[in-house]
Coordinates of all heavy atoms in Angstrom, one line a residue:
A1 N 120.1 123.8 95.5 CA 119.5 124.2 94.2 C 118.8 123.0 93.6 O 117.7 123.2 92.9 CB 120.5 124.9 93.4
T2 N 119.4 121.9 93.6 CA 118.9 120.7 92.9 C 117.6 120.3 93.5 O 116.7 120.0 92.8 CB 119.9 119.6 92.9 OG1 121.2 120.1 92.4 CG2 119.5 118.4 92.1
V3 N 117.5 120.3 94.8 CA 116.3 119.8 95.4 C 115.1 120.8 95.1 O 114.0 120.3 94.9 CB 116.5 119.7 97.0 CG1 115.2 119.4 97.8 CG2 117.6 118.6 97.3
V4 N 115.3 122.0 95.3 CA 114.4 123.0 94.9 C 114.0 122.9 93.5 O 112.7 122.9 93.2 CB 114.8 124.4 95.3 CG1 113.8 125.5 94.8 CG2 115.1 124.6 96.7
A5 N 114.8 122.7 92.5 CA 114.5 122.5 91.1 C 113.7 121.2 90.9 O 112.7 121.3 90.2 CB 115.8 122.5 90.3
L6 N 114.1 120.1 91.5 CA 113.3 118.9 91.3 C 111.9 119.0 92.0 O 111.0 118.5 91.4 CB 114.1 117.7 92.0 CG 115.4 117.3 91.3 CD1 116.1 116.2 92.1 CD2 115.1 116.8 89.8
L7 N 111.8 119.6 93.2 CA 110.5 119.7 93.8 C 109.6 120.7 93.0 O 108.4 120.5 92.8 CB 110.7 120.3 95.2 CG 111.2 119.2 96.2 CD1 111.4 119.8 97.6 CD2 110.3 118.0 96.3
S8 N 110.1 121.8 92.4 CA 109.3 122.7 91.6 C 108.9 122.0 90.3 O 107.8 122.4 89.8 CB 110.1 124.0 91.4 OG 111.3 123.8 90.6
V9 N 109.7 121.2 89.8 CA 109.2 120.4 88.6 C 108.1 119.4 88.9 O 107.1 119.3 88.3 CB 110.5 119.6 87.9 CG1 109.9 118.6 86.9 CG2 111.4 120.6 87.3
A10 N 108.3 118.7 90.1 CA 107.3 117.7 90.5 C 106.0 118.3 90.9 O 104.9 117.9 90.6 CB 107.9 116.9 91.6
F11 N 106.1 119.4 91.8 CA 104.8 119.9 92.4 C 104.2 121.1 91.6 O 103.0 121.2 91.4 CB 105.1 120.4 93.7 CG 105.4 119.3 94.8 CD1 106.6 119.3 95.4 CD2 104.4 118.4 95.0 CE1 106.8 118.3 96.4 CE2 104.7 117.4 95.8 CZ 105.9 117.3 96.5
F12 N 105.0 122.0 91.0 CA 104.5 123.2 90.2 C 104.5 123.0 88.7 O 104.1 123.9 88.0 CB 105.2 124.4 90.7 CG 105.3 124.6 92.1 CD1 106.4 124.8 92.9 CD2 104.0 124.8 92.8 CE1 106.4 124.9 94.2 CE2 104.1 125.0 94.1 CZ 105.2 125.1 94.8
R13 N 105.0 121.8 88.3 CA 105.1 121.5 86.8 C 105.9 122.6 86.0 O 105.5 123.0 84.9 CB 103.7 121.4 86.1 CG 102.8 120.4 86.9 CD 103.1 119.0 86.4 NE 102.1 118.1 86.9 CZ 102.4 117.0 87.6 NH1 103.7 116.8 87.9 NH2 101.5 116.3 88.1
F14 N 107.0 123.1 86.7 CA 107.8 124.1 86.0 C 108.7 123.4 85.0 O 109.0 122.2 85.1 CB 108.8 124.7 87.0 CG 108.3 125.9 87.8 CD1 106.9 126.2 87.8 CD2 109.1 126.6 88.6 CE1 106.5 127.2 88.6 CE2 108.7 127.6 89.3 CZ 107.4 128.0 89.4
P15 N 109.0 124.1 83.9 CA 109.9 123.5 82.9 C 111.4 123.4 83.7 O 111.6 124.2 84.6 CB 110.1 124.5 81.8 CG 108.9 125.4 82.0 CD 108.4 125.3 83.4
P16 N 112.2 122.4 83.3 CA 113.4 122.3 84.0 C 114.3 123.5 84.0 O 114.9 123.6 85.1 CB 114.1 121.1 83.3 CG 113.0 120.3 82.6 CD 111.9 121.4 82.3
S17 N 114.3 124.3 83.0 CA 115.2 125.4 83.0 C 114.6 126.5 84.0 O 115.5 127.2 84.7 CB 115.3 126.1 81.6 OG 114.0 126.3 81.1
W18 N 113.3 126.7 84.0 CA 112.8 127.6 85.0 C 113.0 127.1 86.5 O 113.1 127.9 87.4 CB 111.3 127.9 84.8 CG 111.1 128.8 83.5 CD1 111.1 128.4 82.2 CD2 110.9 130.2 83.6 NE1 110.9 129.5 81.4 CE2 110.8 130.6 82.3 CE3 110.7 131.1 84.6 CZ2 110.5 131.9 81.9 CZ3 110.5 132.4 84.2 CH2 110.4 132.8 82.9
A19 N 112.8 125.8 86.6 CA 113.1 125.2 88.0 C 114.6 125.4 88.5 O 114.7 125.7 89.6 CB 112.8 123.8 87.9
A20 N 115.5 125.4 87.5 CA 116.8 125.6 87.9 C 117.0 127.1 88.3 O 117.8 127.4 89.2 CB 117.8 125.3 86.7
L21 N 116.3 128.0 87.6 CA 116.4 129.4 88.0 C 115.9 129.6 89.4 O 116.6 130.3 90.2 CB 115.5 130.3 87.0 CG 116.1 130.7 85.7 CD1 115.1 131.4 84.9 CD2 117.3 131.6 85.9
L22 N 114.8 129.0 89.8 CA 114.2 129.1 91.1 C 115.1 128.4 92.1 O 115.4 129.0 93.2 CB 112.9 128.5 91.1 CG 112.1 128.4 92.5 CD1 111.8 129.8 92.9 CD2 110.9 127.6 92.4
G23 N 115.8 127.4 91.7 CA 116.7 126.6 92.7 C 117.9 127.4 93.0 O 118.3 127.6 94.2
F24 N 118.5 128.1 91.9 CA 119.6 129.0 92.2 C 119.3 130.2 93.0 O 120.1 130.7 93.8 CB 120.4 129.3 90.9 CG 121.2 128.1 90.4 CD1 120.9 127.6 89.2 CD2 122.3 127.6 91.2 CE1 121.6 126.4 88.7 CE2 123.0 126.6 90.7 CZ 122.7 126.0 89.5
A25 N 118.1 130.7 92.8 CA 117.6 132.0 93.5 C 117.5 131.7 95.0 O 117.8 132.5 95.8 CB 116.4 132.5 92.8
V26 N 116.9 130.5 95.3 CA 116.6 130.1 96.7 C 117.9 129.7 97.3 O 118.1 129.9 98.5 CB 115.6 129.0 96.6 CG1 115.4 128.5 98.0 CG2 114.2 129.6 96.2
A27 N 118.8 129.1 96.6 CA 120.0 128.6 97.2 C 121.0 129.7 97.7 O 121.9 129.3 98.5 CB 120.8 127.7 96.2
A28 N 120.9 130.8 97.2 CA 121.8 131.9 97.5 C 121.7 132.3 99.1 O 120.7 132.3 99.6 CB 121.7 133.1 96.8
V29 N 122.9 132.4 99.8 CA 122.9 132.6 101.2 C 123.2 134.2 101.4 O 124.0 134.7 100.7 CB 124.1 131.8 101.8 CG1 124.2 132.3 103.3 CG2 123.8 130.4 101.7
S30 N 122.4 134.7 102.2 CA 122.5 136.2 102.4 C 123.6 136.5 103.4 O 123.7 136.1 104.5 CB 121.2 136.8 103.0 OG 121.4 138.1 103.3
P31 N 124.7 137.2 102.9 CA 125.8 137.6 103.9 C 125.3 138.6 104.9 O 125.8 138.6 106.0 CB 126.7 138.3 102.9 CG 126.4 137.9 101.6 CD 124.9 137.6 101.5
A32 N 124.2 139.2 104.7 CA 123.7 140.1 105.7 C 123.1 139.3 106.9 O 123.0 139.9 108.0 CB 122.6 141.0 105.2
V33 N 122.8 138.0 106.8 CA 122.4 137.2 107.9 C 123.6 136.4 108.4 O 123.7 136.4 109.7 CB 121.3 136.2 107.4 CG1 120.9 135.3 108.4 CG2 120.1 137.0 106.9
V34 N 124.5 135.9 107.6 CA 125.6 135.0 108.0 C 126.6 135.8 108.8 O 127.0 135.4 109.9 CB 126.1 134.3 106.8 CG1 127.4 133.5 107.2 CG2 125.2 133.4 106.2
V35 N 127.1 136.9 108.2 CA 128.2 137.6 108.8 C 128.0 138.2 110.2 O 128.8 137.9 111.2 CB 128.7 138.7 107.9 CG1 129.8 139.5 108.5 CG2 129.2 138.1 106.5
P36 N 126.9 138.9 110.5 CA 126.7 139.3 111.8 C 126.5 138.2 112.8 O 127.0 138.3 114.0 CB 125.4 140.2 111.8 CG 125.3 140.6 110.3 CD 125.9 139.5 109.6
S37 N 125.8 137.2 112.5 CA 125.6 136.0 113.3 C 127.0 135.4 113.7 O 127.3 135.1 114.9 CB 124.8 135.0 112.8 OG 123.5 135.5 112.4
L38 N 127.8 135.2 112.8 CA 129.1 134.6 113.0 C 130.1 135.5 113.8 O 130.9 135.1 114.6 CB 129.8 134.2 111.7 CG 129.1 132.9 111.2 CD1 129.7 132.5 109.9 CD2 129.3 131.6 112.1
L39 N 130.0 136.8 113.5 CA 130.8 137.7 114.3 C 130.4 137.8 115.8 O 131.2 137.8 116.6 CB 130.7 139.1 113.7 CG 131.4 139.3 112.4 CD1 131.1 140.7 111.8 CD2 132.8 139.0 112.5
K40 N 129.1 137.6 116.0 CA 128.6 137.6 117.4 C 129.1 136.3 118.1 O 129.6 136.3 119.3 CB 127.1 137.6 117.4 CG 126.5 137.6 118.8 CD 125.0 137.6 118.8 CE 124.5 137.5 120.3 NZ 123.2 136.8 120.4
L41 N 129.0 135.2 117.3 CA 129.5 133.9 118.0 C 131.1 134.0 118.2 O 131.6 133.4 119.2 CB 129.2 132.7 117.0 CG 127.7 132.3 117.0 CD1 127.5 131.3 115.9 CD2 127.3 131.8 118.3
Q42 N 131.7 134.6 117.2 CA 133.2 134.8 117.4 C 133.5 135.6 118.6 O 134.5 135.4 119.3 CB 133.7 135.4 116.1 CG 135.3 135.4 116.0 CD 135.8 135.8 114.7 OE1 135.0 136.3 113.8 NE2 137.1 135.7 114.5
D43 N 132.7 136.7 118.8 CA 133.0 137.6 120.0 C 132.8 136.8 121.3 O 133.4 137.1 122.4 CB 132.1 138.8 119.9 CG 132.6 139.7 118.8 OD1 133.7 139.6 118.4 OD2 131.7 140.6 118.5
E44 N 131.9 135.8 121.3 CA 131.5 135.0 122.4 C 132.5 133.9 122.6 O 132.5 133.2 123.7 CB 130.1 134.5 122.4 CG 129.1 135.5 122.4 CD 127.7 134.9 122.2 OE1 127.6 133.7 122.1 OE2 126.7 135.7 122.2
G45 N 133.4 133.7 121.6 CA 134.6 132.8 121.8 C 134.2 131.4 121.1 O 135.1 130.5 121.2
Y46 N 133.1 131.2 120.4 CA 132.9 129.9 119.8 C 133.6 129.8 118.5 O 133.6 130.6 117.6 CB 131.3 129.9 119.5 CG 130.4 129.8 120.6 CD1 129.7 130.8 121.0 CD2 130.4 128.6 121.3 CE1 128.8 130.8 122.2 CE2 129.6 128.5 122.5 CZ 128.8 129.6 122.9 OH 128.0 129.5 124.0
G47 N 134.5 128.7 118.4 CA 135.1 128.3 117.2 C 136.4 129.1 116.8 O 136.9 129.1 115.8
T48 N 136.8 130.1 117.8 CA 137.8 130.9 117.5 C 139.2 130.2 117.4 O 140.1 130.6 116.6 CB 137.9 132.1 118.5 OG1 138.0 131.6 119.8 CG2 136.7 133.1 118.3
A49 N 139.4 129.2 118.1 CA 140.6 128.4 118.2 C 140.8 127.7 116.9 O 142.0 127.6 116.4 CB 140.6 127.4 119.3
T50 N 139.8 127.2 116.3 CA 139.9 126.5 115.0 C 139.7 127.3 113.7 O 139.9 126.9 112.6 CB 139.0 125.3 115.0 OG1 137.7 125.7 115.2 CG2 139.4 124.3 116.0
G51 N 139.2 128.6 113.9 CA 138.9 129.5 112.8 C 137.7 129.1 112.0 O 137.6 129.5 110.9
I52 N 136.8 128.5 112.7 CA 135.5 128.1 112.0 C 134.7 129.4 111.5 O 134.2 129.4 110.4 CB 134.7 127.2 113.0 CG1 135.3 125.9 113.0 CG2 133.2 127.0 112.4 CD1 134.7 125.0 114.1
P53 N 134.6 130.4 112.3 CA 133.8 131.6 111.8 C 134.3 132.1 110.4 O 133.6 132.4 109.6 CB 133.8 132.6 112.9 CG 134.0 131.8 114.1 CD 134.9 130.6 113.7
T54 N 135.6 132.3 110.4 CA 136.3 132.8 109.2 C 136.0 131.8 108.0 O 135.7 132.3 106.9 CB 137.8 132.9 109.4 OG1 138.0 133.7 110.6 CG2 138.5 133.5 108.2
L55 N 136.1 130.5 108.3 CA 135.8 129.6 107.2 C 134.4 129.6 106.7 O 134.1 129.6 105.5 CB 136.2 128.2 107.7 CG 135.9 127.0 106.8 CD1 136.9 127.0 105.7 CD2 136.0 125.7 107.5
V56 N 133.5 129.8 107.6 CA 132.0 129.8 107.2 C 131.7 131.1 106.4 O 130.9 131.0 105.5 CB 131.1 129.6 108.5 CG1 129.7 129.9 108.1 CG2 131.3 128.3 109.0
V57 N 132.3 132.2 106.8 CA 132.1 133.4 106.1 C 132.6 133.3 104.7 O 132.0 133.7 103.7 CB 132.7 134.6 106.9 CG1 132.8 135.9 105.9 CG2 131.9 135.0 108.1
A58 N 133.8 132.7 104.5 CA 134.4 132.5 103.2 C 133.5 131.5 102.4 O 133.4 131.8 101.2 CB 135.8 131.9 103.3
A59 N 133.0 130.5 103.0 CA 132.1 129.5 102.3 C 130.9 130.1 101.8 O 130.3 129.9 100.8 CB 131.9 128.3 103.2
A60 N 130.3 131.1 102.7 CA 129.1 131.8 102.3 C 129.3 132.7 101.1 O 128.5 132.8 100.1 CB 128.5 132.6 103.5
A61 N 130.5 133.3 101.0 CA 130.8 134.2 99.9 C 130.9 133.3 98.6 O 130.4 133.6 97.6 CB 132.1 134.9 100.1
L62 N 131.6 132.2 98.7 CA 131.8 131.3 97.6 C 130.4 130.7 97.2 O 130.2 130.6 96.0 CB 132.8 130.1 97.9 CG 133.0 129.2 96.8 CD1 133.7 129.7 95.7 CD2 133.9 128.0 97.4
D63 N 129.6 130.4 98.1 CA 128.2 130.0 97.8 C 127.4 130.9 97.0 O 126.7 130.5 96.1 CB 127.5 129.6 99.1 CG 126.1 129.0 98.7 OD1 126.0 128.1 97.9 OD2 125.2 129.5 99.4
D64 N 127.5 132.1 97.3 CA 126.9 133.2 96.6 C 127.4 133.3 95.2 O 126.6 133.5 94.2 CB 127.0 134.6 97.4 CG 126.1 134.7 98.5 OD1 125.1 134.0 98.6 OD2 126.4 135.5 99.3
V65 N 128.7 133.3 95.0 CA 129.3 133.3 93.7 C 128.8 132.2 92.8 O 128.4 132.4 91.6 CB 130.8 133.4 93.8 CG1 131.5 133.2 92.4 CG2 131.3 134.7 94.4
L66 N 128.8 131.0 93.4 CA 128.3 129.8 92.6 C 126.9 129.9 92.2 O 126.4 129.5 91.2 CB 128.6 128.5 93.4 CG 130.1 128.2 93.5 CD1 130.3 126.9 94.4 CD2 130.8 128.0 92.2
S67 N 126.0 130.4 93.2 CA 124.6 130.6 93.0 C 124.4 131.6 91.9 O 123.5 131.4 90.9 CB 123.9 131.0 94.2 OG 123.9 130.0 95.1
L68 N 125.2 132.7 91.8 CA 125.0 133.6 90.8 C 125.4 133.2 89.4 O 124.8 133.4 88.4 CB 125.8 135.0 91.1 CG 125.2 135.8 92.2 CD1 126.1 137.0 92.6 CD2 123.9 136.5 91.7
A69 N 126.5 132.4 89.4 CA 127.0 131.8 88.2 C 125.9 130.8 87.6 O 125.7 130.7 86.5 CB 128.3 131.2 88.4
G70 N 125.5 130.0 88.5 CA 124.4 128.9 88.1 C 123.2 129.6 87.6 O 122.6 129.2 86.6
F71 N 122.7 130.8 88.2 CA 121.6 131.5 87.9 C 121.8 132.0 86.4 O 121.0 131.9 85.5 CB 121.3 132.6 88.7 CG 119.9 133.3 88.5 CD1 118.8 132.8 89.0 CD2 119.9 134.3 87.6 CE1 117.5 133.4 88.7 CE2 118.8 135.0 87.3 CZ 117.6 134.5 87.8
G72 N 123.0 132.5 86.1 CA 123.3 133.0 84.8 C 123.3 131.9 83.7 O 122.8 132.1 82.7
V73 N 123.8 130.7 84.0 CA 123.8 129.7 83.1 C 122.3 129.2 82.9 O 121.9 129.0 81.7 CB 124.7 128.4 83.6 CG1 124.5 127.2 82.8 CG2 126.1 128.9 83.6
A74 N 121.6 129.0 83.9 CA 120.2 128.6 83.8 C 119.3 129.7 83.0 O 118.5 129.3 82.3 CB 119.6 128.4 85.2
L75 N 119.7 131.0 83.2 CA 119.0 132.0 82.5 C 119.3 131.9 81.0 O 118.4 132.1 80.2 CB 119.5 133.4 83.0 CG 118.8 134.6 82.4 CD1 117.3 134.6 82.9 CD2 119.4 135.8 82.9
S76 N 120.5 131.5 80.7 CA 120.8 131.3 79.2 C 120.0 130.1 78.6 O 119.7 130.1 77.5 CB 122.3 131.2 78.9 OG 122.7 129.9 79.5
F77 N 119.8 129.1 79.4 CA 119.0 128.0 78.9 C 117.5 128.3 78.8 O 116.8 127.7 78.0 CB 119.1 126.8 79.8 CG 120.4 126.0 79.6 CD1 121.3 126.0 80.7 CD2 120.7 125.4 78.4 CE1 122.5 125.3 80.5 CE2 121.8 124.7 78.3 CZ 122.8 124.7 79.2
C78 N 117.0 129.4 79.6 CA 115.7 129.7 79.5 C 115.4 130.5 78.3 O 114.2 130.8 77.8 CB 115.2 130.6 80.7 SG 115.0 129.6 82.1
G79 N 116.4 131.1 77.7 CA 116.2 132.0 76.5 C 115.9 133.4 76.9 O 115.5 134.2 76.1
L80 N 116.0 133.7 78.2 CA 115.7 135.1 78.7 C 116.9 136.0 78.5 O 116.7 137.2 78.7 CB 115.3 135.0 80.2 CG 114.1 134.1 80.4 CD1 113.8 134.2 81.9 CD2 112.8 134.6 79.7
G81 N 118.1 135.5 78.2 CA 119.2 136.4 78.1 C 119.3 136.9 76.7 O 120.3 137.5 76.3
S82 N 118.2 136.7 75.9 CA 118.3 137.2 74.5 C 118.2 138.7 74.3 O 117.9 139.3 75.4 CB 117.2 136.5 73.6 OG 116.0 136.9 74.1
R83 N 118.2 139.2 73.2 CA 118.3 140.6 73.0 C 116.9 141.2 73.3 O 116.8 142.3 73.9 CB 118.6 141.0 71.5 CG 118.8 142.4 71.2 CD 119.2 142.6 69.8 NE 118.3 142.1 68.8 CZ 117.3 142.9 68.4 NH1 117.1 144.1 68.7 NH2 116.5 142.3 67.4
R84 N 115.9 140.5 73.0 CA 114.5 141.0 73.2 C 114.1 140.8 74.8 O 113.2 141.6 75.2 CB 113.5 140.3 72.3 CG 113.9 140.4 70.9 CD 113.1 141.2 70.0 NE 111.7 141.5 70.3 CZ 111.1 142.6 69.9 NH1 111.8 143.5 69.3 NH2 109.9 142.9 70.2
G85 N 114.6 139.9 75.4 CA 114.2 139.7 76.8 C 112.9 139.1 77.0 O 112.4 138.3 76.1
V86 N 112.3 139.3 78.1 CA 111.0 138.6 78.5 C 109.8 139.4 78.2 O 108.6 139.0 78.3 CB 111.0 138.2 80.0 CG1 112.1 137.2 80.3 CG2 111.1 139.5 80.8
L87 N 109.9 140.7 77.7 CA 108.8 141.5 77.5 C 108.1 141.0 76.2 O 108.7 140.6 75.2 CB 109.2 142.9 77.4 CG 109.8 143.7 78.5 CD1 110.2 145.0 78.2 CD2 108.7 143.7 79.6
P88 N 106.7 141.0 76.2 CA 106.0 140.7 75.0 C 106.1 141.7 73.9 O 106.6 142.7 74.1 CB 104.5 140.6 75.5 CG 104.5 141.5 76.6 CD 105.8 141.5 77.3
D89 N 105.6 141.2 72.7 CA 105.7 142.1 71.5 C 104.4 143.0 71.6 O 103.4 142.7 70.9 CB 105.8 141.2 70.3 CG 107.0 140.6 70.1 OD1 108.0 141.2 70.5 OD2 107.1 139.5 69.5
A90 N 104.5 144.0 72.4 CA 103.4 144.9 72.5 C 103.9 146.3 72.4 O 105.1 146.5 72.6 CB 102.5 144.7 73.7
L91 N 103.0 147.3 72.2 CA 103.5 148.7 72.1 C 104.1 149.1 73.5 O 105.1 149.7 73.4 CB 102.2 149.6 71.8 CG 102.6 151.1 71.7 CD1 103.6 151.3 70.6 CD2 101.3 151.9 71.4
W92 N 103.4 148.8 74.6 CA 104.0 149.2 75.9 C 105.3 148.6 76.1 O 106.2 149.2 76.8 CB 103.0 148.9 77.0 CG 102.8 147.5 77.3 CD1 101.9 146.6 76.8 CD2 103.6 146.6 78.2 NE1 102.1 145.4 77.3 CE2 103.0 145.3 78.2 CE3 104.7 147.0 79.0 CZ2 103.6 144.3 78.9 CZ3 105.2 145.9 79.7 CH2 104.7 144.6 79.7
A93 N 105.6 147.4 75.7 CA 106.9 146.8 75.8 C 107.9 147.5 74.9 O 109.0 147.5 75.4 CB 106.7 145.3 75.5
D94 N 107.5 147.9 73.8 CA 108.6 148.6 72.9 C 108.8 149.9 73.7 O 110.0 150.4 73.6 CB 107.9 148.9 71.6 CG 107.9 147.6 70.7 OD1 108.6 146.8 71.0 OD2 107.0 147.6 69.9
V95 N 107.9 150.6 74.3 CA 108.2 151.9 75.1 C 109.2 151.6 76.2 O 110.1 152.3 76.5 CB 107.0 152.5 75.5 CG1 107.2 153.6 76.5 CG2 106.1 152.9 74.4
M96 N 109.0 150.4 76.9 CA 109.9 150.1 78.0 C 111.2 149.7 77.5 O 112.1 149.9 78.3 CB 109.2 148.9 78.7 CG 107.9 149.1 79.5 SD 108.1 150.4 80.7 CE 109.1 149.6 81.9
R97 N 111.4 149.2 76.3 CA 112.7 148.8 75.8 C 113.5 150.0 75.6 O 114.6 150.2 75.7 CB 112.6 148.0 74.6 CG 112.2 146.6 74.9 CD 112.4 145.7 73.7 NE 111.7 144.5 74.0 CZ 110.4 144.1 73.4 NH1 109.8 144.9 72.6 NH2 109.9 143.0 73.7

């Protein structure tokens, strides 16, 4: 998340809080990709003696939790978690609220 945030500040001129949002969004690992791949490797016998597939699945879940928590913290620094949200002060925005 840190590398993505720093690169987005450097290359895209994002404010640091928005860059942190992007970093945490990109850093999340999809369990839909990790779990089937590791189950296939486990069925083929790779790493079963040491329990590596189980450890990686648990680490992926923890990584997702930390990414979501970091995204929430970064969102609070952006001011987007306020009562009004990100919608502008326009009539159509009032209808959407």
Side-chain angles (χ1 to χ4, degrees):
T2 304
V3 171
V4 172
L6 290 175
L7 289 175
S8 63
V9 167
F11 290 121
F12 302 123
R13 308 279 187 233
F14 279 10
S17 57
W18 284 82
L21 278 176
L22 179 64
F24 283 117
V26 171
V29 175
S30 174
V33 174
V34 173
V35 173
S37 302
L38 285 174
L39 289 178
K40 182 181 178 213
L41 290 174
Q42 189 174 9
D43 289 342
E44 293 175 4
Y46 291 106
T48 54
T50 56
I52 291 174
T54 306
L55 179 68
V56 172
V57 168
L62 181 63
D63 180 53
D64 284 341
V65 168
L66 292 176
S67 292
L68 286 171
F71 187 87
V73 170
L75 185 66
S76 69
F77 282 115
C78 286
L80 300 180
S82 64
R83 186 175 64 89
R84 304 250 334 150
V86 297
L87 294 176
D89 290 326
L91 179 61
W92 68 268
D94 288 335
V95 172
M96 292 300 291
R97 285 189 194 105

